[in-house]
Structure formats: structure tokens, C-alpha cells
């Protein structure tokens, strides 16, 4: 799951579980978030603020009336800056303070001053957790809309067993991502093709292109964040599978075609991001070709056009194609939109430096029949989010609200 670009105030209250928050800080940053840490005085007794400064890459805030910290970012600015305030660990004492609206230190003041969502990851002894006073405070906080992450069951620092353990850092990152997942694609099936294809010449040689799969995999992550069930049909790439996606690996254009057609049941949205070879050798030699002559002429034949085949089905899913162009971007992209009967097409310049194939960055011009949108150069993860957001809007516009249809897709003739 991703928290890319999210601004998180990580509040740490006093408890032995504060040591886990060091790892949590690192995991939040790995997930793409910017983290500013606020510690209560009790928290600094367990772990030093220096640890969090090093891990978050930002100064740590500890005191309400610290002129130096206020000069950098005051508590009100911090409260406004946050997309979410996550308090981990949240001690019984700190939750009692929140329940009563006290504001006698920086973290509790910030909680009163923010309109960002607040999430609590409680950590305490099992008897403290089950104490009626804590239960009452928790109920009040929940009623006010604060999110409770955990606590979990298990062995506790005090040697007892029971409920009260702070959730593990990765569980917290996943749960927090869920807060931002607006779920617009919930219950929808999205199939994405990604990466290149390999068209065998002989057992050791093939025709391919420069696609790394990064754009397609970023789209899979963005669709997952929006709650979609994602099938990722990938050519040969060196990328790990986005958590939650179902990945099917293929090599050739023909294999990609066959898998796509077999897996279309329950798919409402089809995104063709793969750089599928347009031609393959007529003959794939069974033995390695020996170099005998000065010239070797390879006869090539067209591969099936997967996107056109899917869009030409009798009841096709919503289709988003890509166009990789080195000139006449709009003309060629709009041509493909029309000829292949697509709902949308995302066109990229593939000759531009540090963009398109292989790069971490891309820029897209997106077209549909009566509209267009420019998505300027950005990291592929960010761009993928913008594109999936736009696709969601177009899908909703054409489907009058997002209603999943568990249809299967009947085949008409294959336009090849
Ligand atoms: O993988 P990266 O390194 O991150 O790079 C991303 C990318 C540049 C590969 C990607 O953004 C992109 O442009 N993908 C489409 C590349 C392509 O093959 O474009 P095209 O204009 O040749 O094809 C048009 C569309 O038809 C594409 O959606 C393509 O997936 C589809 N197609 C093409 C041929 C074929 N036989 N079957 C297809 O489905």
C-alpha cells in the first residue's frame, strides 16, 4: 500500500512500544509519506528524539512552548500541515487526556487544533485496556470519529498475555493507507497489461523493446489504492508484484492475448499499458541460428492487437489504451482512440529525455472523444494516481455512477 505524498504527524506518547515507532517512522517514509514526529515528555524517557529526527529527516517537536521549534513550524502550522495525525503508541493516559479535551502539552494541543483525521494505536497492559475508565474513554473517542488501530493480542512487555499490544509497524502502515483509500473502484475488476513482450527468433534470441513495466505496475498500485481487484498481466520485467494484485506472467504477444481473453470475466476496466510487439518472427527456429551469411533477413508477421480485440468485444469493458509516439502525438493518439473504439487513450512522448520507457518519470496527454487532460511530468507512481483518478471520473460519467457489473464479455470477431 502507498502513502505517497501524504503528510503525517506521528505522535508518540509514553510507553515501551515507543521503540516500535522508530521502525514505524521508517516504514511510513518507505510508503512515500513525509513524517513529522511529535513526542510527549514521557515518550522521550523511552526513546530519544534524535532517533526520530534521524529516521524522519525532520526536527522532532517535543514542547508546546519551544521558541525554536515554533519558529520552524508552530503547533498550529503543524496541525494544519497534517493530512492525518497518527498516535502510536497511544497510552491509556494520553487517550484519557484526549477524551477530556485537555491541552497541556504539544501533542494534545495539536490534536485539538487539527481538522485532519486522528488515528490511535493503543498500547498498554491488558488490564489497563479492559479497565472501565479506558473503555469509556475509547468509546467517547470513537464516537467523536477518531480511528482506533488495534490493539492486538499477544505477549506484553510486562510478561502478561492479552489484548493491549500495539499493532506491528507494517500493519499500521496498511491500516493507515486504508484511511486514504476512498474506494471509488471498490468491487470493480481492473485488468492491466504491463511491460514488454519477447518474440522468440530462436531459443536464445528475441525481439523486444525498452519497456520496464514501471508505468503499468504503478497503475496497478494506484488502482489497488482505490479499492479495485487488480489482475496484472505482465511481460518479462524485474519488478515485485504490488501487494494485493493477481499477477500472471507471459512472454509473447500471443500469450498475453490468450491470457487476457481467458481472464476477462469480472473485469469492468481494461488498461493496456504493455508495449506489445507489433510483429513477431514468422518462424521461431528450434535450434540456435548459426552465422553463415553476411546478411540474415527475418520475416515478421503481425501479432494480435490485444487492445483492439478487447475493445471490439460485443460487451467490452471500459478501455484505456496507451499510445507511445515520437511525433504527431495528438493526431496518432486520437486515431488509435477512434480506430480501436476506446473509451480513453493516454499518450506519451517516448523520445523525450528521462520520460516514458525505462525512466522513473513520465508525462501524459489523455484523450477521450469529447475531452482531453494534460498530466505533466511526474514520478510514475504519482502520474498513475492522477490517471486512475481521471479514469474513475470518466468511468463514473459513462456508467452513471460506479456500479459493478459482473458481466462476462462475449466475443465478436477479432479485428487482429
Ligand atoms: O514500461 P515503462 O518503462 O514504464 O514505459 C511505459 C510505456 C512507455 C511503455 C507506456 O507508458 C506506454 O506507452 N505503453 C504502450 C506502448 C505501446 O505499445 O504503444 P503503441 O502506441 O504501440 O500501442 C497502442 C496501444 O495498443 C497500447 O495500449 C498497447 O498496449 C496496445 N497494443 C499494441 C499492440 C498489440 N499487438 N497489442 C496491443 O494491445
Amino acid at each position: 500500500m502507498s502513502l505517497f505524498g501524504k503528510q503525517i504527524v506521528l505522535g508518540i506518547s509514553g510507553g515501551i512500544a515507543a521503540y516500535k515507532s522508530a521502525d514505524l517512522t521508517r516504514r511510513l517514509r518507505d510508503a512515500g509519506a513525509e513524517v513529522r514526529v511529535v513526542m510527549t515528555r514521557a515518550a522521550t524517557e523511552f526513546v530519544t528524539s534524535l532517533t526520530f529526527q534521524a529516521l524522519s529527516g525532520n526536527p522532532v517537536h517535543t514542547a508546546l512552548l519551544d521558541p525554536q521549534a515554533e519558529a520552524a513550524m508552530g503547533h498550529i502550522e503543524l496541525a494544519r500541515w497534517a493530512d492525518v495525525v497518527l498516535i502510536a503508541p497511544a497510552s491509556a493516559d494520553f487517550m484519557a487526556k484526549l477524551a477530556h479535551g485537555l491541552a497541556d502539552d504539544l501533542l494534545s494541543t495539536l490534536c485539538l487544533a487539527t481538522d485532519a483525521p486522528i488515528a490511535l494505536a493503543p498500547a498498554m497492559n491488558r488490564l489497563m485496556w479492559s479497565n472501565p475508565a479506558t473503555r469509556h474513554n475509547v468509546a467517547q473517542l470513537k464516537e467523536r470519529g477518531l480511528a482506533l488501530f488495534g490493539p492486538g493480542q499477544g505477549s506484553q512487555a510486562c510478561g502478561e498475555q492479552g489484548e493491549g499490544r500495539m499493532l506491528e509497524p507494517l500493519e499500521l502502515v496498511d491500516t493507515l493507507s486504508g484511511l486514504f483509500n476512498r474506494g471509488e473502484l471498490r468491487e470493480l475488476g481492473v485488468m492491466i497489461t504491463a511491460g514488454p513482450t519477447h518474440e522468440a527468433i530462436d531459443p536464445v534470441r528475441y525481439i523486444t523493446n525498452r519497456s520496464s513495466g514501471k508505468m503499468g505496475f504503478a497503475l496497478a498500485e494506484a488502482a489497488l489504492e482505490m479499492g479495485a481487484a487488480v489482475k496484472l498481466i505482465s511481460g518479462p520485467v524485474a519488478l515485485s508484484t504490488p501487494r494485493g494484485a493477481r499477477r500472471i506472467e507471459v512472454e509473447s504477444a500471443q500469450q498475453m492475448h490468450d491470457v487476457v481473453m481467458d481472464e476477462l470475466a469480472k473485469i469492468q476496466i481494461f488498461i493496456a499499458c504493455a508495449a506489445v510487439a507489433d510483429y513477431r518472427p514468422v518462424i521461431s527456429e528450434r535450434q540456435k541460428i548459426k552465422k553463415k551469411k553476411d546478411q540474415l533477413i527475418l520475416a515478421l508477421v503481425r501479432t494480435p492487437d490485444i487492445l483492439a480485440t478487447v475493445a471490439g468485444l460485443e460487451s467490452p469493458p471500459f478501455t484505456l489504451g496507451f499510445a507511445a509516439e515520437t511525433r504527431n502525438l495528438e493526431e496518432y493518439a486520437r486515431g488509435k482512440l477512434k480506430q480501436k473504439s476506446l473509451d480513453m487513450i493516454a499518450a506519451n512522448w517516448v523520445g523525450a529525455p528521462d520520460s516514458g520507457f525505462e525512466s522513473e518519470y513520465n508525462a501524459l496527454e489523455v484523450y477521450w472523444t469529447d475531452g482531453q487532460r494534460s498530466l505533466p511530468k511526474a514520478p510514475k507512481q504519482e502520474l498513475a494516481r492522477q490517471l486512475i483518478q481521471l479514469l474513475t471520473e470518466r468511468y463514473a460519467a459513462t456508467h452513471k455512477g460506479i456500479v459493478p457489473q459482473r458481466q462476462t464479455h462475449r466475443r465478436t470477431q477479432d479485428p487482429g
Side-chain angles (χ1 to χ4, degrees):
M1 278 287 177
S2 166
L3 289 166
F4 190 84
K6 293 288 175 274
Q7 301 184 161
I8 297 172
V9 166
L10 175 60
I12 302 173
S13 64
I16 184 60
Y19 81 92
K20 287 194 200 173
S21 304
D23 188 31
L24 174 62
T25 308
R26 194 173 67 84
R27 303 283 184 181
L28 289 170
R29 289 192 75 194
D30 287 350
E34 194 180 337
V35 182
R36 288 185 176 269
V37 175
V38 176
M39 299 176 81
T40 63
R41 197 190 52 73
T44 60
E45 306 275 337
F46 289 91
V47 191
T48 70
S49 61
L50 208 58
T51 306
F52 290 102
Q53 181 170 318
L55 290 169
S56 69
N58 283 312
V60 171
H61 306 256
T62 50
L64 184 54
L65 301 172
D66 173 354
Q68 251 188 340
E70 288 284 307
M73 189 181 265
H75 66 279
I76 296 291
E77 275 167 288
L78 212 47
R80 285 196 196 122
W81 175 86
D83 289 325
V84 66
V85 177
L86 168 63
I87 298 167
S91 65
D93 176 65
F94 192 77
M95 290 199 298
K97 202 182 260 190
L98 277 190
H100 289 90
L102 298 185
D104 62 352
D105 65 3
L106 177 60
L107 190 55
S108 53
T109 307
L110 192 146
C111 288
L112 277 189
T114 192
D115 58 7
I118 300 175
L120 304 169
M124 66 197 73
N125 165 274
R126 67 182 177 90
L127 291 173
M128 290 171 79
W129 175 248
S130 60
N131 187 289
T134 308
R135 310 301 324 136
H136 181 72
N137 292 336
V138 167
Q140 271 200 336
L141 292 169
K142 273 188 181 167
E143 202 182 293
R144 276 188 230 147
L146 279 74
L148 258 282
F149 296 172
Q153 295 266 356
S155 61
Q156 303 202 299
C158 52
E160 295 185 15
Q161 289 277 336
E163 203 177 5
R165 271 174 69 91
M166 186 168 98
L167 294 186
E168 295 306 315
L170 271 180
E171 289 177 290
L172 288 174
V173 172
D174 268 3
T175 319
L176 194 65
S177 308
L179 274 192
F180 293 104
N181 171 10
R182 285 152 295 159
E184 277 109 323
L185 294 180
R186 207 172 44 241
E187 292 183 39
L188 290 181
V190 176
M191 183 188 283
I192 301 170
T193 66
T197 61
H198 287 182
E199 308 303 327
I201 298 170
D202 68 14
V204 294
R205 304 178 179 99
Y206 52 77
I207 299 174
T208 191
N209 57 64
R210 293 180 181 280
S211 171
S212 62
K214 287 175 192 162
M215 191 71 233
F217 276 56
L219 286 165
E221 263 183 40
L224 285 162
E225 277 171 33
M226 299 272 261
V230 173
K231 281 186 193 172
L232 183 57
I233 318 298
S234 175
V237 297
L239 297 173
S240 46
T241 310
R243 186 136 30 123
R246 182 163 161 246
R247 174 178 182 168
I248 305 177
E249 290 179 6
V250 297
E251 274 207 28
S252 66
Q254 186 64 52
Q255 284 173 3
M256 188 174 273
H257 169 275
D258 295 349
V259 168
V260 165
M261 299 314 290
D262 282 352
E263 294 286 333
L264 272 177
K266 300 185 179 172
I267 293 298
Q268 286 77 38
I269 296 170
F270 178 68
I271 303 175
C273 187
V276 186
D278 290 320
Y279 292 90
R280 66 170 169 80
V282 174
I283 299 167
S284 165
E285 297 291 347
R286 294 182 62 191
Q287 306 299 333
K288 186 183 168 196
I289 301 171
K290 302 307 270 180
K291 47 177 185 295
K292 290 187 199 134
K293 301 181 210 150
D294 283 349
Q295 270 197 2
L296 175 71
I297 296 172
L298 268 183
L300 302 178
V301 62
R302 285 287 302 267
T303 55
D305 189 321
I306 303 164
L307 176 59
T309 309
V310 172
L313 291 167
E314 198 178 310
S315 48
F318 185 91
T319 48
L320 165 63
F322 269 72
E325 308 295 349
T326 53
R327 61 198 166 105
N328 305 340
L329 189 84
E330 176 161 6
E331 183 194 334
Y332 289 162
R334 282 207 178 272
K336 287 174 187 175
L337 180 75
K338 199 163 169 214
Q339 282 148 25
K340 300 194 188 194
S341 311
L342 309 179
D343 293 293
M344 293 173 80
I345 193 154
N348 37 201
W349 292 105
V350 286
D354 200 14
S355 189
F357 282 95
E358 293 174 310
S359 166
E360 297 296 328
Y361 295 88
N362 205 3
L364 296 169
E365 295 295 329
V366 190
Y367 305 101
W368 56 97
T369 307
D370 51 1
Q372 77 179 81
R373 177 96 52 94
S374 292
L375 303 179
K377 186 170 171 180
K380 282 179 177 167
Q381 286 85 351
E382 183 52 32
L383 202 66
R385 273 195 198 95
Q386 294 172 17
L387 182 58
I388 293 290
Q389 181 60 46
L390 180 58
L391 174 144
T392 305
E393 287 163 26
R394 297 301 314 145
Y395 182 85
T398 51
H399 290 73
K400 300 190 174 59
I402 296 181
V403 181
Q405 304 153 38
R406 294 294 185 200
Q407 85 270 37
T408 50
H409 308 276
R410 277 190 286 155
R411 294 183 193 204
T412 50
Q413 71 191 59
D414 180 347

